[in-house]
Amino acid sequence: MSTYKAPLADIRFALYDVLGAEALFAKLGFADASRDIVDAVLEEGARFNETVLAPLNRVGDEIGCKYDKDTGAVTTPPGFKQAYRQYVEGGWAGLVSPTEFGGQGLPHAAGIPLKEMIDAANLAWGNFPLLSHGATEALLHHGEDWQREVFLKPLVDGRWTGTMCLTEPHCGTDLGLLKTKAVPNADGTYSIDGTKIFITAGEHDFTDNIVHLVLARLPDAPAGSKGISLFIVPKLKVGKDGTVGERNGVRCGAIEHKMGIHGSATCVINFDDAQGYLIGQPHKGLMAMFTMMNTARLAVGLQGLGLSDRAYQNALRYARERLQGRALSGAKQPDKAADPIIVHPDVRRMLLTCKALTEGGRLLGYHAATLVDIAHHADSEQERKEADDLLGFVTPIVKACLTEWGVECTYHALQCFGGHGYIHEHGMEQLARDARITTLYEGTTGIQALDLMGRKVMQLQGAGLRVFLGQIEAFCKQHESDEALKEFVAPLREKAGEWQKLTMSIGQRAVANADEVGAAAYDYLFYSGYVALAYWWARSVAAAESSAQSEAFKAAKRETARFYFARILPRTLAHATAIASGAAPLMGLDAERFDA
Amino acid sequence: MSTYKAPLADIRFALYDVLGAEALFAKLGFADASRDIVDAVLEEGARFNETVLAPLNRVGDEIGCKYDKDTGAVTTPPGFKQAYRQYVEGGWAGLVSPTEFGGQGLPHAAGIPLKEMIDAANLAWGNFPLLSHGATEALLHHGEDWQREVFLKPLVDGRWTGTMCLTEPHCGTDLGLLKTKAVPNADGTYSIDGTKIFITAGEHDFTDNIVHLVLARLPDAPAGSKGISLFIVPKLKVGKDGTVGERNGVRCGAIEHKMGIHGSATCVINFDDAQGYLIGQPHKGLMAMFTMMNTARLAVGLQGLGLSDRAYQNALRYARERLQGRALSGAKQPDKAADPIIVHPDVRRMLLTCKALTEGGRLLGYHAATLVDIAHHADSEQERKEADDLLGFVTPIVKACLTEWGVECTYHALQCFGGHGYIHEHGMEQLARDARITTLYEGTTGIQALDLMGRKVMQLQGAGLRVFLGQIEAFCKQHESDEALKEFVAPLREKAGEWQKLTMSIGQRAVANADEVGAAAYDYLFYSGYVALAYWWARSVAAAESSAQSEAFKAAKRETARFYFARILPRTLAHATAIASGAAPLMGLDAERFDA
């Protein structure tokens, strides 16, 4: 069985030593987010996740959610419901929500380590509260006052949970095709009819009520994505005064049988003359939905990170314990029957890949969380704007890279176990199966790449990239004569320059041929992710050197950074070359001839 | 549900147009392997696999093998046993086995497409006959006459199946640690005691008897891997005259719960005073086992290929059917609600990656099969020796690359389905789970890399690589002024030159530090695989051009080769750079500090 210990030392290093969270939170006016308080939250969160959620990870996989055809009810795996009660009682649900709605008002960046811990401890369980956050965001930014009063408070305190109802059988990415209908009633409510699929946490036994946020079309809606509105459709009807009434016309029609996250209920939800309230403006639902989606995309990135870390922890333990073969350079533990497999360079390659992508990825993710806080709370408009531009630019990178690296790290970690990794009892194959969803939901990797290339680079003319490149150059300048950082600063500067040139060259080609955008997108996203990680690794070494961390800690950061620059960053060479080849090699083959 | 259609057109192209199998078989003296006969075998094999095995793939996954604790019996999934009967009745079991033992004596290269089809149709089922082939090889090359008479014939005609019993709980890769004991009896038999794990097809209901080939230690055995002997231990006792007697002391103690290949029985086998016969020389068991293992490694490579192809076929169908979004360069099917997703460059990237790795990988695998035939049947000793050297060199490449590409292609194919790929009903997630075993069993990818780098390059001084480079240069020379091939020949030649230099540079570094071998191994293997594939793609274009294939077929080969050279071959840049960085970035971090 795989185990989990919250990586508090590295979490603190990332937050305080690298990202300077203590000063940042103070500057942004979070009076209650002192280091003492945040530390206490991290420690209590670690305890909750290690002792309550992590032990339920296996039973969640083995038993999964159960669906009752007769009642439409979903029963979560043994222990899940009780754990949720503890979560609510511990006040975890509203950790980063505004105090005026019952939250604790902590910065987003102080809550994100908890998110990572939950995902590592029990990804499937974490999907239930996760979707509440999206609904919370949508209500906060687009809800009317009474909607916030009635729906937001129970979501924040965890009495109710939320969902995002977008996908239909014939439309996922292309929401313009959706068919669910909303007809206005005389009393100002709407009658919703349609079928949604892949609704995470769409039905369960944690709470009495579930707040569905549903995309649907009004009768006078224009065709396509400009005719979509967003509705609040609770499982139990709720009056404008907050009175909870009878069962609404909302029913779970089935749950999906999935490769992993068996403990997470993925539901078909049928809306049959269901009573709903319009949220935001008519036909502007997609914009409101994007508010939820951006939060959710960062959150799914964190899922990849959490799984990478848990996988790494277990592979490392196994690599130290498993005795097999001798080091090629001579026996390292001659008194034992064999050396532990961590002596072998190729096992180290797999472990170091996990370590470099996880610890570097942690900074990528946490940094994005600080941007959320800055974008909302910084004093100057310019600061807020820059943070928002950069956040928009890094969001698809965080989502796609952290999840693809999650797939990669769970792959390497399983591989370290040899054949034992393929067996259920060690728990490694569950991590690999669970990780596989993260590159699909909330927009596949390909969709993230298009968002980055098409929207953030082309449409927004790379505003976020400019901010990022400025920060990299500032860092390089600050450390250019620093002996300890020389080996990292020079290649980082070179890659940053290449990044800018690559971006411009794609932009130029795209003028003549729109397919160039799609053809470059995937490789551009990963090129960007690896350069971003090089920056975070260089900053990690710099931060460690000037910190009060132990010499062992500093050495570990330095050696891992060296590994990253020598062994992972060269992937940019393949991505850059693929980008340079343009669209022709992708578009040359006629669609009819793929099986000629 | 995923479907399967045997890719007969590309199989014929690979065998006849590229590898010149018709002339080769004639030259090697296979009188019964005319094109007519082989074609008939391929067609009948396609029918069997498409209609009998492929439809059982899903039930194999859903129901799996069942173990009866009371009797130690294993029941295979519904339909599996009947399919095996049809397989035996169709004469498939002994297709490439010698006629003197009841086989059909076809060349190995004529049998390999059938192997691919079985793996694509039903990987789990294919594991039952697969292991018989390993036992057949060991008996053929190391068995005494009576052993061949008594054990080989029923294996060849499929009445019995075979296994390879190597792994024990504490030893997988490092067989020197194994503990199973063999004590000589007065009657010339041996008494075997010990526990083996991960025994594929170790118990089942296909046949009455199962022939286990078991590694064990004799009482006077030297320690380590030089003290291992090989024994024949049948499930039912068998006399030297072939009389089948009572149940032997062999019992299945459990079957493993695995990530995939649920229809394949992975057994714990307990040997308790079991009667066995020594095969080959005492203490030379490992050598005999390698005979089986090399065959098995090529066979597992083919499993990766089969899964890649099936995954690709289904992703292609879905990408043509699924309407979602519009082409960035303008609507392609304006009369429909949306364009099929195959219009998107990033979907094409995923499909073309599968196509390039599958069709190119087919040649990598089939070519190895022709080398088996040449190594055994060529007239001149030099030809046999060269084929054997090259076979030894490419075997770890075929095993590791085809299986890792199998994981990659099943990944991309699932990704093409979006969220639907994660759901059991489409069958894509089963292919991904099934593929995951192939990079682990018969030696992990890391072990293949060490075999290539440590044994085939360092110990054998790259004899096989020299043969390969000679063939590449001959091809380049032949086509250097061929206009249609120019774009492929120049980069191929460059890569081949770099390959040679990289090999020498690693060899030089390894003199000073043995860890350099292990540090370079993984990247060297994939570097080699991608250059090998560049060669096969260039040869495919050349072969297509001079063949009677349709213009559409020729164009498809040319465009796919272009994609390969532009988008996949650049991965060699990352591998070469990683190799050049040497062992230091892998060995610098103290094992104690991986979680500092």
Side-chain angles (χ1 to χ4, degrees):
Chain A
M1 189 170 143
S2 80
T3 56
Y4 176 63
K5 197 162 163 37
L8 284 179
D10 201 63
I11 285 175
R12 288 203 186 96
F13 172 73
L15 271 187
Y16 300 127
D17 293 330
V18 186
L19 296 170
E22 198 174 359
L24 178 69
F25 295 162
K27 189 182 154 208
L28 296 178
F30 289 100
D32 290 339
S34 68
R35 179 151 178 173
D36 280 357
I37 288 179
V38 173
D39 265 347
V41 167
L42 292 177
E43 269 160 41
E44 191 50 30
R47 200 199 54 75
F48 174 72
N49 281 289
E50 289 168 5
T51 62
V52 179
L53 291 185
L56 295 173
N57 195 43
R58 184 171 178 167
V59 72
D61 186 56
E62 288 174 351
I63 297 188
C65 289
K66 303 287 184 198
Y67 173 70
D68 183 331
K69 214 187 279 186
D70 296 331
T71 62
V74 169
T75 307
T76 56
F80 270 41
K81 186 177 172 173
Q82 292 78 356
Y84 184 74
R85 197 173 305 138
Q86 285 181 259
Y87 173 83
V88 171
E89 284 165 5
W92 298 108
L95 199 65
V96 301
S97 300
T99 49
E100 54 180 311
F101 299 106
Q104 302 196 36
L106 281 182
H108 202 70
I112 212 78
L114 274 299
K115 175 82 180 69
E116 178 196 331
M117 290 182 207
I118 292 173
D119 294 330
N122 197 325
L123 186 71
W125 185 93
N127 267 344
F128 292 95
L130 167 66
L131 273 291
S132 295
H133 289 174
T136 302
E137 290 293 307
L139 281 159
L140 259 180
H141 295 99
H142 305 282
E144 297 173 33
D145 284 348
W146 76 265
Q147 291 174 340
R148 275 187 273 205
E149 192 61 32
V150 166
F151 292 104
L152 196 48
K153 283 187 174 174
L155 284 170
V156 166
D157 69 18
R159 254 178 305 149
W160 299 349
T161 65
T163 76
M164 292 166 56
C165 296
L166 291 73
T167 306
E168 299 180 6
H170 63 289
C171 75
T173 298
D174 187 358
L175 289 170
L177 300 174
L178 76 80
K179 292 179 182 165
T180 297
K181 281 181 199 160
V183 177
N185 300 319
D187 62 358
T189 65
Y190 292 81
S191 178
I192 313 287
D193 284 275
T195 295
K196 297 286 181 177
I197 64 167
F198 296 169
I199 307 309
T200 298
E203 180 59 73
H204 57 72
D205 52 10
F206 283 9
T207 58
D208 295 332
N209 208 0
I210 299 172
V211 183
H212 301 285
L213 292 203
V214 184
L215 289 184
R217 283 186 189 288
L218 290 166
D220 61 343
S225 61
K226 284 169 187 165
I228 300 172
S229 308
L230 184 62
F231 298 87
I232 307 170
V233 188
K235 175 179 164 184
L236 302 177
K237 286 185 184 173
V238 178
K240 285 195 171 188
D241 58 354
T243 325
V244 177
E246 61 180 343
R247 184 67 189 258
N248 205 349
V250 179
R251 191 188 156 101
C252 175
I255 59 174
E256 304 289 353
H257 299 281
K258 306 186 298 293
M259 184 180 188
I261 54 165
H262 296 158
S264 171
T266 306
C267 305
V268 175
I269 300 286
N270 297 314
F271 297 94
D272 182 12
D273 191 21
Q275 187 191 72
Y277 300 103
L278 179 70
I279 172 169
Q281 300 301 306
H283 317 317
K284 301 285 185 199
L286 219 50
M287 219 169 56
M289 196 49 95
F290 269 114
T291 307
M292 299 169 62
M293 216 130 77
N294 280 328
T295 310
R297 285 179 173 179
L298 290 177
V300 173
L302 266 285
Q303 296 188 334
L305 176 66
L307 291 172
S308 294
D309 190 40
R310 184 175 185 144
Y312 172 61
Q313 291 183 19
N314 286 277
L316 177 58
R317 174 177 47 74
Y318 191 78
R320 282 169 169 163
E321 286 170 3
R322 175 77 172 174
L323 306 178
Q324 202 79 183
R326 290 293 182 192
L328 287 178
S329 52
K332 293 290 176 278
Q333 301 199 2
D335 51 319
K336 290 190 174 152
D339 288 335
I341 60 172
I342 198 171
V343 304
H344 302 301
D346 197 60
V347 173
R348 292 176 149 257
R349 176 187 61 79
M350 295 188 280
L351 292 172
L352 283 165
T353 301
C354 295
K355 184 174 171 65
L357 294 179
T358 302
E359 294 177 10
R362 183 168 289 129
L363 280 161
L364 202 62
Y366 286 17
H367 172 247
T370 64
L371 293 174
V372 174
D373 293 319
I374 298 169
H376 285 101
H377 300 283
D379 281 339
S380 83
E381 198 190 316
Q382 197 202 333
E383 245 184 303
R384 291 198 302 271
K385 161 105 175 52
E386 280 194 357
D388 197 54
D389 285 345
L390 185 50
L391 178 62
F393 183 76
V394 298
T395 295
I397 299 175
V398 169
K399 200 286 184 177
C401 288
L402 291 190
T403 60
E404 293 282 356
W405 294 339
V407 170
E408 178 176 347
C409 292
T410 54
Y411 179 90
H412 291 313
L414 190 161
Q415 196 75 9
C416 286
F417 279 71
H420 295 274
Y422 199 65
I423 303 302
H424 181 63
E425 74 177 275
H426 290 283
M428 302 308 288
E429 60 89 33
Q430 184 194 341
L431 298 181
R433 284 185 288 106
D434 286 356
R436 191 64 188 86
I437 187 60
T438 61
T439 70
L440 296 163
Y441 61 13
E442 298 305 333
T444 62
T445 300
I447 293 302
Q448 305 304 320
L450 266 189
D451 177 45
L452 179 70
M453 192 77 249
R455 184 164 162 73
K456 309 299 167 56
V457 172
M458 301 298 293
Q459 281 180 37
L460 304 178
Q461 302 183 309
L465 174 62
R466 272 197 303 279
V467 178
F468 206 161
L469 287 172
Q471 295 185 356
I472 293 176
E473 180 49 29
F475 171 81
C476 290
K477 211 169 173 62
Q478 186 190 345
H479 293 280
E480 64 192 347
S481 50
D482 188 338
E483 275 305 313
L485 282 169
K486 222 170 167 175
E487 63 186 298
F488 308 116
V489 166
L492 173 59
R493 207 168 219 165
E494 193 192 315
K495 283 290 159 195
E498 190 184 56
W499 195 8
Q500 190 168 22
K501 280 186 206 126
L502 264 179
T503 312
M504 286 173 58
S505 74
I506 300 166
Q508 282 159 3
R509 282 205 307 261
V511 176
N513 179 4
D515 278 333
E516 292 285 348
V517 171
Y522 173 88
D523 287 285
Y524 182 79
L525 184 142
F526 282 92
Y527 184 94
S528 303
Y530 288 118
V531 177
L533 223 60
Y535 170 64
W536 287 114
W537 269 109
R539 276 197 58 177
S540 291
V541 175
E545 289 298 332
S546 62
S547 75
Q549 299 281 353
S550 70
E551 286 309 309
F553 187 95
K554 292 177 187 179
K557 286 294 173 193
R558 197 167 48 240
E559 291 298 336
T560 310
R562 282 180 178 155
F563 169 82
Y564 180 80
F565 274 76
R567 293 269 174 169
I568 307 286
L569 188 57
R571 295 181 185 182
T572 50
L573 298 169
H575 290 302
T577 308
I579 291 169
S581 74
L586 292 176
M587 307 311 287
L589 186 59
D590 192 287
E592 297 309 310
R593 291 186 186 170
F594 272 69
D595 47 5
Chain B
M1 190 171 142
S2 80
T3 57
Y4 177 64
K5 195 161 164 41
L8 284 179
D10 201 63
I11 286 175
R12 288 201 185 96
F13 172 72
L15 271 186
Y16 300 127
D17 293 331
V18 187
L19 295 170
E22 197 174 359
L24 178 69
F25 295 161
K27 189 182 154 208
L28 296 179
F30 289 99
D32 289 340
S34 68
R35 181 153 179 167
D36 281 357
I37 288 178
V38 173
D39 264 347
V41 167
L42 292 177
E43 270 160 43
E44 189 52 30
R47 200 200 53 77
F48 174 72
N49 281 290
E50 290 167 3
T51 62
V52 179
L53 291 186
L56 295 173
N57 195 44
R58 185 171 178 167
V59 72
D61 185 55
E62 287 173 350
I63 296 189
C65 289
K66 302 289 185 198
Y67 172 71
D68 184 330
K69 213 187 280 189
D70 297 330
T71 62
V74 169
T75 307
T76 55
F80 270 41
K81 186 177 172 173
Q82 291 77 355
Y84 184 74
R85 196 173 307 138
Q86 283 181 261
Y87 174 82
V88 170
E89 283 165 7
W92 297 109
L95 198 65
V96 300
S97 301
T99 48
E100 55 180 309
F101 298 105
Q104 300 195 39
L106 281 183
H108 201 71
I112 213 76
L114 274 300
K115 175 81 181 69
E116 179 196 331
M117 291 182 208
I118 291 173
D119 294 329
N122 196 325
L123 186 70
W125 185 94
N127 267 344
F128 292 96
L130 167 65
L131 273 292
S132 295
H133 289 174
T136 302
E137 288 293 305
L139 281 159
L140 259 180
H141 295 100
H142 304 282
E144 297 173 34
D145 284 347
W146 76 265
Q147 291 173 339
R148 277 187 272 206
E149 193 62 32
V150 167
F151 292 105
L152 196 48
K153 284 188 173 174
L155 283 171
V156 166
D157 69 19
R159 255 179 304 149
W160 299 349
T161 65
T163 77
M164 290 165 58
C165 296
L166 290 74
T167 305
E168 299 179 7
H170 63 289
C171 75
T173 299
D174 188 357
L175 289 170
L177 300 174
L178 77 79
K179 291 177 182 166
T180 297
K181 280 180 199 160
V183 177
N185 299 320
D187 64 357
T189 65
Y190 292 80
S191 176
I192 314 289
D193 284 275
T195 295
K196 296 286 181 177
I197 64 168
F198 297 169
I199 307 309
T200 298
E203 180 60 71
H204 57 72
D205 53 10
F206 283 10
T207 57
D208 295 332
N209 209 0
I210 298 172
V211 182
H212 300 285
L213 292 202
V214 184
L215 289 183
R217 284 187 190 288
L218 289 166
D220 60 343
S225 61
K226 284 172 185 160
I228 299 172
S229 307
L230 185 61
F231 298 87
I232 308 170
V233 188
K235 176 179 165 184
L236 301 176
K237 287 184 183 175
V238 178
K240 286 194 169 188
D241 59 353
T243 323
V244 177
E246 60 181 343
R247 183 68 187 258
N248 206 348
V250 178
R251 190 187 157 102
C252 174
I255 59 174
E256 306 289 351
H257 300 279
K258 306 186 298 292
M259 185 178 187
I261 54 164
H262 297 158
S264 170
T266 306
C267 304
V268 174
I269 300 285
N270 298 313
F271 296 94
D272 181 12
D273 190 22
Q275 189 190 73
Y277 299 103
L278 179 70
I279 170 169
Q281 298 302 306
H283 317 318
K284 300 284 183 200
L286 220 50
M287 220 168 57
M289 196 49 95
F290 270 114
T291 308
M292 298 169 66
M293 217 128 78
N294 280 329
T295 311
R297 285 179 173 178
L298 290 178
V300 173
L302 266 285
Q303 297 189 334
L305 175 66
L307 290 172
S308 294
D309 189 41
R310 184 176 186 145
Y312 172 62
Q313 290 183 19
N314 286 277
L316 177 59
R317 173 178 46 75
Y318 191 78
R320 283 170 170 163
E321 286 171 3
R322 175 78 171 172
L323 305 178
Q324 204 78 185
R326 289 292 182 194
L328 287 178
S329 51
K332 294 289 174 281
Q333 301 198 4
D335 51 318
K336 291 193 175 150
D339 287 336
I341 60 172
I342 197 169
V343 304
H344 302 301
D346 198 61
V347 172
R348 291 175 150 256
R349 176 186 61 79
M350 295 188 281
L351 292 172
L352 283 165
T353 301
C354 295
K355 184 173 169 69
L357 294 179
T358 302
E359 294 177 10
R362 183 168 289 129
L363 280 161
L364 202 61
Y366 286 17
H367 172 245
T370 64
L371 293 175
V372 174
D373 293 320
I374 299 169
H376 284 102
H377 299 283
D379 280 339
S380 85
E381 198 189 317
Q382 197 202 336
E383 245 184 304
R384 290 198 302 273
K385 161 103 175 53
E386 280 193 358
D388 197 54
D389 285 345
L390 185 51
L391 178 62
F393 184 77
V394 299
T395 295
I397 299 175
V398 168
K399 200 283 181 179
C401 288
L402 291 190
T403 60
E404 294 282 355
W405 293 338
V407 170
E408 180 177 347
C409 293
T410 54
Y411 179 90
H412 292 312
L414 190 161
Q415 196 74 9
C416 287
F417 278 71
H420 296 273
Y422 199 66
I423 303 301
H424 181 64
E425 75 178 274
H426 290 283
M428 301 308 286
E429 60 90 34
Q430 184 194 341
L431 299 180
R433 284 185 289 106
D434 286 356
R436 191 62 187 86
I437 187 60
T438 61
T439 70
L440 295 163
Y441 60 16
E442 298 306 333
T444 61
T445 300
I447 293 301
Q448 306 303 320
L450 266 189
D451 177 46
L452 179 70
M453 192 77 249
R455 186 166 162 72
K456 307 299 166 55
V457 171
M458 300 297 295
Q459 281 179 37
L460 303 178
Q461 301 182 310
L465 174 62
R466 271 197 304 279
V467 178
F468 205 161
L469 287 172
Q471 294 185 356
I472 293 176
E473 181 48 31
F475 171 80
C476 290
K477 213 171 172 60
Q478 187 190 344
H479 292 280
E480 64 192 348
S481 50
D482 187 338
E483 274 305 311
L485 282 168
K486 221 171 171 177
E487 62 186 300
F488 308 115
V489 166
L492 173 60
R493 207 170 219 165
E494 193 193 315
K495 284 289 161 196
E498 191 184 55
W499 194 10
Q500 190 169 22
K501 280 186 206 125
L502 263 179
T503 312
M504 284 174 60
S505 74
I506 301 166
Q508 282 158 2
R509 282 205 307 262
V511 175
N513 179 4
D515 278 333
E516 293 285 350
V517 172
Y522 173 87
D523 287 286
Y524 182 80
L525 184 143
F526 281 93
Y527 184 94
S528 304
Y530 289 118
V531 177
L533 222 59
Y535 169 64
W536 287 115
W537 269 110
R539 276 196 58 176
S540 290
V541 175
E545 290 298 332
S546 61
S547 75
Q549 300 281 354
S550 70
E551 285 310 308
F553 187 94
K554 291 178 187 178
K557 287 294 174 194
R558 195 166 49 240
E559 291 299 336
T560 310
R562 281 180 178 155
F563 169 82
Y564 180 80
F565 274 76
R567 292 269 174 170
I568 307 284
L569 188 57
R571 295 180 185 182
T572 50
L573 298 170
H575 290 301
T577 308
I579 291 169
S581 74
L586 291 176
M587 307 311 287
L589 185 60
D590 192 287
E592 296 308 309
R593 292 183 186 171
F594 273 67
D595 46 6

